Amino acid sequence: MRFASHLRSAFIASSTLRSKINRHRTSSQSITPLAMSNEKECFPELVVFDMDACLWDQEMYEMRAMPSDAVIGDLNGRGEGVKGVMSGRDRISLHEGSLIALQELSDGKYPDTKFCMASSADTPFAEKVGRASLKLLEVVPGVTVWDLLMKTWDNVDVNQIGRQPPLSSNKSKTHFPRIREMTGVRYDKMLFFDDCLWGDHCGMVEANCKEEDSGVGPATVRT
């Protein structure tokens, strides 16, 4: 699945949404903290990715072995690197759009935006496979997805992966409140990508994760 174009269009959509909020919350004498004062505020402060069948092409609950052998290939014209990892006979690879988005983050294209993961991986083993894959798959040669995530959060793991307590299968009840608490980023400054194959996570997050003052939650994109 390719969603690099969705990433850019969703940035614009979330910007438009916040702009509408501002019109309701501003007067001729004042500007609210959400006001769109310059171009950089067209972008969310936080982009949250589901992992399975969204960030990459596999479902971790279907994997039978920890990732091992690296598959070396071209990283979108940026050189040779770890383009895939093998879990038994299954190859785990980033979707093209995911790779582009991560490379653009690495390049500093979105200096005021950070990324993190929210995955309801079914089992403890599925969670381990997912985390191991993040630490092996490369964005550019020598820099893994995990390296990039840790760099943007000063080596603090804010990612919410799995459904073991305190997490659950409902991202809107556990993953996103924890992300909100750990990052300090408002819900209405977030953008969320999810394939929604096993439930409408986007709809649940939109309904249940709203800021009290604006009544608005994350902008969401069903990939």
Side-chain angles (χ1 to χ4, degrees), residues 25-99:
R25 299 182 62 222
T26 59
S27 69
S28 59
Q29 304 297 321
S30 64
I31 300 296
T32 71
L34 292 179
M36 308 296 287
S37 61
N38 53 52
E39 184 180 7
K40 73 178 182 180
E41 293 188 32
C42 290
F43 302 104
E45 290 183 11
L46 179 61
V47 178
V48 183
F49 287 91
D50 173 45
M51 288 162 47
D52 294 0
C54 185
L55 181 75
W56 48 45
D57 55 1
Q58 297 287 356
E59 296 275 5
M60 294 300 98
Y61 79 92
E62 295 179 333
M63 301 297 99
R64 297 293 180 261
M66 289 295 291
S68 55
D69 296 337
V71 179
I72 305 301
D74 177 66
L75 296 176
N76 189 36
R78 306 293 290 273
E80 296 286 305
V82 181
K83 192 175 181 68
V85 291
M86 300 304 298
S87 170
R89 296 181 178 180
D90 295 302
R91 172 175 165 172
I92 304 168
S93 299
L94 295 172
H95 284 301
E96 182 181 351
S98 306
L99 177 59

Side-chain angles (χ1 to χ4, degrees), residues 195-217:
D195 59 276
C196 296
L197 293 176
W198 304 101
D200 188 4
H201 291 292
C202 286
M204 288 187 285
V205 167
E206 288 173 350
N208 298 324
C209 301
K210 297 180 179 180
E211 292 295 330
E212 291 185 4
D213 57 354
S214 68
V216 174

